[in-house]
Amino acid sequence: MAYMNDEKLTKQRFVQEELTGMLHSATNGCVGECWYEFDGANELVRVSYRPDPKTSEVITVNVTADSRWAIAKDVMRAVAKRFE
């Protein structure tokens, strides 16, 4: 069974407390929330993305073994594909 060790807790806090706010602000509210999850082997960041009021999607980014810096780059790259 997978458990949340200190490294995963740090990543979870980073995604929820820092990355979410930055992306929400930078995309003028198109990003609503980001959350970090894992299933033991894979680490994922899911991003709720709303390009307009009638459309929403969840972007899933594999961040397995990423540092916080790499998580930020990978998630921003995935959001940029839809935002730019």
Side-chain angles (χ1 to χ4, degrees):
M1 174 175 228
Y3 65 96
M4 189 74 77
N5 62 26
D6 288 344
E7 180 184 2
K8 288 180 173 67
L9 281 170
T10 298
K11 290 178 181 181
Q12 181 183 50
R13 283 189 206 106
F14 169 72
V15 168
Q16 293 174 338
E17 297 172 8
E18 298 179 49
L19 188 60
T20 296
M22 186 274 298
L23 287 172
H24 181 78
S25 178
T27 62
N28 299 314
C30 291
V31 168
E33 182 180 5
C34 302
W35 59 100
Y36 168 89
E37 56 189 48
F38 70 100
D39 64 10
N42 296 304
E43 298 174 77
L44 305 170
V45 172
R46 299 196 192 274
V47 180
S48 66
Y49 183 73
R50 228 178 211 322
D52 62 64
K54 296 179 183 179
T55 308
S56 67
E57 63 181 284
V58 173
I59 303 166
T60 301
V61 183
N62 187 322
V63 296
T64 303
D66 278 6
S67 64
R68 286 179 290 162
W69 175 252
I71 289 171
K73 289 190 328 184
D74 289 347
V75 172
M76 286 189 296
R77 189 177 299 118
V79 170
K81 287 181 183 177
R82 288 154 175 93
F83 186 73
E84 294 178 339

